[in-house]
Amino acid sequence: IGRAADNKDRWILALDAATGHTRVLAHDHDDAWVDGPGAFTFGWTGDNQHLYFESERDGYAHLYTVGFDGGEARQLTSGKWEVTDVDLSEDKTKFYITTSEVHPGERHLYAMSTAGGERVKITSMPGNNQAFISPDEKMLALIYSYSNKPREIYLQENRAGAAAKKVTSSPAPEFWSYNWVDPPIVTFAARDGAT
């Protein structure tokens, strides 16, 4: 990956080790800044012929693939939400992606084929679910929080519909006796019309 010093351009490059020549596989340009939650997400898919990466080229951070032999990048996720984390399964047949598609204030883990298509939502607790997948991919360790609940660790089987079990309780007992407000999350239109 190459980046311009002003962070307005990023290139995914293929290097010919024998000649030292490079060729561009994908290029992103943004007059403001090339970045986003997955700006450094990059890797090989299971066929070793395609690379996956994240880009904000449609205005939101989404997952793409591009062939090592060239061609146009293919967008695997789309919508008015963002992919904030990507892991490739051990067998390289699916991605585990964390997205904000339920709500900008929530993060959930999904499984999706490396070819794209339907996503299966794995986490279900409303709020922020930061998932860490066990080496055998059977379990998840979740760092979970909500607007009025601090971060705690939960364990859950790595499958849709599985219940998460809380394993830590960090605050002092007095914390739980207080009636904490669940603040409403409000959205509004900015001058440019964006929400």
Side-chain angles (χ1 to χ4, degrees):
I1 294 182
R3 294 177 77 94
D6 64 3
N7 277 325
K8 293 183 186 302
D9 291 277
R10 179 186 69 180
W11 300 269
I12 297 176
L13 304 163
L15 170 69
D16 184 321
T19 66
H21 291 105
T22 59
R23 61 188 168 85
V24 176
L25 299 178
H27 171 242
D28 282 339
H29 174 81
D30 190 315
D31 288 337
W33 192 269
V34 174
D35 201 10
F40 297 103
T41 296
F42 177 77
W44 290 95
T45 61
D47 65 5
N48 291 321
Q49 298 299 312
H50 292 83
L51 299 144
Y52 67 89
F53 65 99
E54 274 192 59
S55 171
E56 290 184 322
R57 54 181 64 183
D58 77 346
Y60 294 87
H62 282 293
L63 186 60
Y64 293 77
T65 58
V66 66
F68 183 74
D69 292 333
E72 288 297 312
R74 183 169 164 262
Q75 190 169 355
L76 300 182
T77 61
S78 64
K80 292 184 175 186
W81 46 269
E82 298 197 298
V83 174
T84 58
D85 193 39
V86 178
D87 286 305
L88 188 60
S89 64
E90 187 65 32
D91 65 6
K92 298 186 176 189
T93 62
K94 64 184 165 209
F95 289 112
Y96 291 109
I97 61 173
T98 302
T99 79
S100 63
E101 61 190 278
V102 169
H103 184 277
E106 287 199 32
R107 297 293 179 272
H108 287 283
L109 181 70
Y110 295 78
M112 178 184 75
S113 165
T114 54
E118 182 181 344
R119 291 174 302 285
V120 176
K121 187 171 173 252
I122 298 172
T123 55
S124 59
M125 293 184 292
N128 186 37
N129 293 270
Q130 183 181 7
F132 298 89
I133 304 163
S134 67
D136 64 4
E137 297 180 25
K138 292 181 180 177
M139 294 295 294
L140 303 174
L142 303 173
I143 297 177
Y144 170 75
S145 63
Y146 187 70
S147 60
N148 62 359
K149 295 177 185 152
R151 296 170 71 158
E152 297 290 356
I153 298 174
Y154 287 71
L155 295 177
Q156 176 186 322
E157 288 181 49
N158 184 5
R159 63 178 175 80
K165 180 181 178 189
K166 186 176 175 186
V167 294
T168 64
S169 186
S170 300
E174 296 80 35
F175 178 91
W176 300 111
S177 65
Y178 187 80
N179 186 20
W180 294 103
V181 171
D182 182 3
I185 297 175
V186 258
T187 59
F188 58 91
R191 277 184 296 198
D192 64 359
T195 301

